[in-house]
Amino acid sequence: DYVWAYIDRVAREVYKTHPDRKISALAYGNYQMPPEKIDQLSPNIAVILCRWRANFYDPEVRKQFADLVQAWLQKLPSTELYIWDYYLHSRPGRDWEAVPVYFPHIIAEDLRSLRGISRGEHIEVFRSYWPDGYTWDALAANHLNCYLTARLYWDANQDVDELLADYYDKFYGPAAQQMRAFVEY
């Protein structure tokens, strides 16, 4: 409540003189939960929930996040809820460094569940450049997830398997079947 009480006080003061301005804040780490001692936040607050979409392979984690979204919406008169997601699995120093982590069906399920709720997303993706001294390309490890997310932004009801088949065919050409087997493995 300490963090959110401060944000709420600032937002209420701004609202007095500039009601058309928004105060945005990340719901992150120790202050990801909505405040317990504030019934309704100032109407000019927009909350950005930080999370790892890939962790939704676990149904309990998925449910916890869905419950968190509903709890925030109860506190936000503005209903301005945004998502900050991390596609950072392959970055240096992590357990999955240089290893592609694919979660296409989770992406589709999540974007469908957020339709009409989330006002937008920010996805943090690790990218490496050859001058940085890496011997691998991090964007190559994230490309499929980024591509699929972008396609589903246009229409979350698209058939994920059809999108994947199109991706394999157009991106890998003659190696499409081998790459499909690799990704599915």
Side-chain angles (χ1 to χ4, degrees), residues 10 22 45 61 104 125-127 134 148 157:
V10 169
K22 300 290 181 183
I45 291 180
V61 172
V125 178
F126 176 74
R127 293 179 32 171
Y134 300 112
L148 189 64
N157 286 327

Side-chain angles (χ1 to χ4, degrees), residues 54-69:
N55 291 343
F56 293 167
Y57 70 88
D58 180 340
E60 183 56 33
V61 172
R62 177 81 182 107
K63 183 181 178 330
Q64 289 171 357
F65 184 75
D67 292 346
L68 181 61
V69 165

Side-chain angles (χ1 to χ4, degrees), residues 103-120:
F103 44 100
H105 289 88
I106 292 170
I107 294 167
E109 179 185 340
D110 187 45
L111 289 177
R112 288 180 191 126
S113 75
L114 290 170
R115 187 180 25 240
I117 296 171
S118 173
R119 300 281 186 98

Side-chain angles (χ1 to χ4, degrees), residues 1 3-4 25-35 47-52 65 68 72 84 86:
D1 278 37
V3 170
W4 292 107
L26 298 175
Y28 181 83
N30 291 335
Y31 51 93
Q32 187 177 42
M33 301 297 291
V47 172
I48 306 163
L49 283 175
C50 300
R51 88 284 170 64
W52 290 74
F65 184 75
L68 181 61
W72 269 111
W84 184 302
Y86 300 100

Side-chain angles (χ1 to χ4, degrees), residues 105-161:
H105 289 88
I106 292 170
I107 294 167
E109 179 185 340
D110 187 45
L111 289 177
R112 288 180 191 126
S113 75
L114 290 170
R115 187 180 25 240
I117 296 171
S118 173
R119 300 281 186 98
E121 282 195 353
H122 172 90
I123 297 176
E124 189 172 337
V125 178
F126 176 74
R127 293 179 32 171
S128 60
Y129 297 95
W130 294 116
D132 293 337
Y134 300 112
T135 58
W136 53 278
D137 187 339
L139 191 55
N142 283 305
H143 186 265
L144 176 73
N145 293 329
C146 294
Y147 168 81
L148 189 64
T149 302
R151 289 292 305 265
L152 290 168
Y153 281 159
W154 290 101
D155 178 3
N157 286 327
Q158 295 179 82
D159 183 293
V160 176
D161 294 318

